[in-house]
Amino acid sequence: MERPVQPVLKALVISPDEALRRALCARLVRLGHRSQPMGSSAEAAAWLASGMQADVVLAALPQPAPDLAGDCARLRARTANAGLPVLLLLPAPDEAQRTAALEGGADDCLAHDAGDALLAARLGRIAQACLRRAGCQARLQRQRAILDHIGDAVFTADADGRVVEANRAALRRFGAPPGGPFGQPLEAVLGLGPGQLGQADRLWLRGADGRGFWAQASGSRWAEAGRARTTWVLHDLTEALRHQRLRDEFLAGVSHELRTPLTSVLGAVGLLASGVAGRLPDAAQPLVAAAQRNGERLGRLIDDVLDLTKLEGDRLPLHCRPQPLAPLASEAVNAAQAYAARSGVQLALRCPPAASADAARWPAVDADRLLQVLANLISNAVKHSCAGQTVHIALMEDADGQRIEVSDRGSGVPAAFRPQLFEKFAQAEGSVQHGHGGTGLGLHLARLLVQRMGGRIGYAPGAGDVGSTFHVWFPTATATAPAGSGAAASTGASS
């Protein structure tokens, strides 16, 4: 088996005996290494302190130095190599001297006349350790460089919430107090403790310059030598929010500009359809009806875009007050009856008799916006139902709130599409081809509205994946909505 190539070591040779020092240097050169002779450990320490480097120290002494431990410590303190190996060479070391050498900080103790083979083997072991150490240092430097070139602030905290590591962006953003943030509580550096960082989608933080900014925090837990660690990445949302605001302003402006001419077009088409300008030819009536139908669809899209920009910009006022849900569910069903009848679909509403009796159990909702949510869910159920089928709307109560379910026996939502169900402009493959196309904003708007009212929205497939059930749940006005309700809604998970 071919032996690995050993790296060349640079050895500090320390000996007060000049002849011995020269002989040892010559042996090292013969073994393929380099040497730097020194007359004393103090001289060697000064040489290292000047910035020079060595891989190993060979101290050839007449006997163990009185302060060998101190000498080893001083040598190692003067170099970046905290594990600088020290080989002590004595005239004829006995067991007691070897023991004293090892206890004093030397890595090994050899005789002055140790053979070249033994010395070469010992230096070979040190060379391999140098290779491993160099590899570890290179990886650490690479990881540190990667960490410091991440634009987001990154903090690592221990189990007590104290900072043990921070990247350059973190120090630049939040400042570096005397001694750095290390050992400081994370709350003292950020103004928020670890328990608060993961509780919201957005956090308001303040930098060292006193300016506040919105950020998103994500944490990952890991362990180092059995000790718990949590690394927090703080992503500055300032630029993303600025782009979102510009996009929202653009969409709002375009929507407003489209609304005025569209209203005029729909008015004119409506007058034509009503016969104000005279009876239309039979061939023209379907064309006018199609123009009116598509104009109304475009109007709904504009309304959805306007609502979306207001909701995402937190500019849509909601007027929530405690009120019973049964009358709102009934109103939503009555408003959808004509649309369902045109599709040959029945609507069935079921409410418990006492659902509206106890005012203390009423949720606080905005009636108009809840009707908008229910209209979307019911119209979706009707669109995906066949003629002759029934869409069921049910109001139920639990210990903390009330829930409205809308169920159909249609084709259901494909499993692969369910994670995207409540996302913006999301439409299942094939829905447009089968005549179920919409704006792709209805369920996303429903989710945002329900969340703003403190509730949850979710989806569950029907038995055997036939049909769908969408639900909205609201806590009673005297109860507190569970934390993370928004997260539950975004997954579409049934609660």
Side-chain angles (χ1 to χ4, degrees):
M1 179 178 178
E2 187 177 352
R3 305 180 94 181
V5 177
Q6 300 288 357
V8 176
L9 297 176
K10 183 168 186 178
L12 268 179
V13 179
I14 303 173
S15 179
D17 185 331
E18 184 178 356
L20 182 58
R21 191 167 62 240
R22 288 184 176 179
L24 190 53
C25 288
R27 291 181 67 188
L28 288 171
V29 172
R30 192 165 59 250
L31 294 174
H33 300 290
R34 294 181 296 151
S35 63
Q36 178 67 42
M38 294 289 168
S40 67
S41 61
E43 184 183 352
W47 185 82
L48 290 171
S50 68
M52 307 304 289
Q53 298 293 324
D55 301 310
V56 62
V57 173
L58 273 67
L61 305 176
Q63 60 183 4
D67 186 22
L68 180 61
D71 288 341
C72 290
R74 280 186 286 274
L75 289 170
R76 288 167 179 149
R78 298 301 192 276
T79 178
N81 182 3
L84 180 65
V86 176
L87 295 184
L88 184 61
L89 285 79
L90 299 177
D94 56 20
E95 185 174 349
Q97 288 177 321
R98 291 178 186 276
T99 302
L102 295 175
E103 290 178 346
D107 294 273
D108 204 348
C109 183
L110 303 177
H112 285 176
D113 59 356
D116 283 355
L118 177 58
L119 184 58
R122 192 65 188 89
L123 292 175
R125 294 290 300 274
I126 292 173
Q128 291 303 313
C130 286
L131 281 178
R132 291 192 295 270
R133 184 169 61 250
C136 290
Q137 289 176 343
R139 286 192 294 272
L140 287 174
Q141 289 173 356
R142 184 166 59 250
Q143 291 168 2
R144 185 73 236 182
I146 292 171
L147 189 63
D148 280 339
H149 281 81
I150 292 175
D152 295 333
V154 181
F155 287 96
T156 296
D158 61 16
D160 297 323
R162 294 185 176 275
V163 177
V164 296
E165 190 175 19
N167 72 339
R168 190 177 299 162
L171 298 177
R172 186 171 56 247
R173 168 71 78 169
F174 296 98
F182 310 109
Q184 299 280 336
L186 195 60
E187 187 169 1
V189 179
L190 299 179
L192 295 174
Q196 299 168 286
L197 290 178
Q199 289 184 350
D201 292 336
R202 293 192 303 179
L203 302 165
W204 182 253
L205 301 176
R206 195 168 298 279
D209 56 3
R211 290 186 294 181
F213 62 99
W214 286 107
Q216 188 177 51
S218 58
S220 57
R221 291 181 176 84
W222 52 286
E224 180 182 33
R227 292 172 295 185
R229 296 282 187 263
T230 303
T231 296
W232 292 99
V233 179
L234 306 176
H235 179 58
D236 188 345
L237 296 175
T238 302
E239 196 65 16
L241 292 175
R242 187 179 75 84
H243 290 161
Q244 180 178 326
R245 185 175 65 254
L246 291 174
R247 182 206 63 192
D248 291 347
E249 290 172 356
F250 171 76
L251 288 175
V254 170
S255 299
H256 279 297
E257 291 298 323
L258 288 173
R259 167 57 64 191
T260 301
L262 179 63
T263 301
S264 299
V265 170
L266 282 175
V269 172
L271 291 174
L272 287 174
S274 65
V276 170
R279 187 179 183 280
L280 293 173
D282 292 342
Q285 289 179 7
L287 300 177
V288 172
Q292 189 171 25
R293 188 167 58 252
N294 284 284
E296 291 171 350
R297 181 168 177 263
L298 180 57
R300 289 193 298 273
L301 174 59
I302 293 172
D303 290 340
D304 285 348
V305 170
L306 285 172
D307 283 347
L308 179 63
T309 55
K310 290 177 182 177
L311 270 172
E312 292 187 334
D314 203 18
R315 298 189 303 272
L316 183 69
L318 295 183
H319 307 285
C320 296
R321 63 177 181 84
Q323 55 191 303
L325 297 190
L328 296 176
S330 178
E331 183 178 346
V333 170
N334 291 335
Q337 286 288 5
Y339 174 70
R342 288 198 298 271
S343 301
V345 176
Q346 302 294 319
L347 300 181
L349 174 63
R350 177 170 58 85
C351 294
S356 304
D358 186 2
R361 311 232 355 110
W362 292 351
V365 297
D366 183 310
D368 291 337
R369 294 303 176 180
L370 179 56
L371 287 173
Q372 180 181 347
V373 170
L374 294 178
N376 179 272
L377 298 183
I378 294 172
S379 65
N380 280 349
V382 170
K383 275 192 286 188
H384 290 83
S385 298
C386 298
Q389 291 183 335
T390 300
V391 171
H392 295 274
I393 300 93
L395 172 63
M396 293 168 282
E397 290 187 302
D398 57 31
D400 300 318
Q402 295 188 6
R403 173 188 182 107
I404 298 176
E405 289 188 351
V406 179
S407 303
D408 64 68
R409 298 294 292 171
S411 57
V413 178
F417 180 71
R418 291 170 193 168
Q420 309 156 40
L421 192 56
F422 294 93
E423 298 302 318
K424 207 182 313 183
F425 299 113
Q427 289 183 289
E429 186 177 354
S431 61
V432 176
Q433 291 86 334
H434 291 92
H436 300 151
T439 65
L441 289 175
L443 287 177
H444 181 68
L445 280 170
R447 181 184 71 171
L448 294 179
L449 287 169
V450 170
Q451 288 178 351
R452 283 282 305 275
M453 289 186 281
R456 294 197 299 258
I457 185 170
Y459 163 82
D465 274 357
V466 176
S468 301
T469 296
F470 286 85
H471 73 264
V472 291
W473 176 91
F474 298 97
T476 57
T478 55
T480 302
S485 59
S490 67
T491 62
S494 178
S495 60

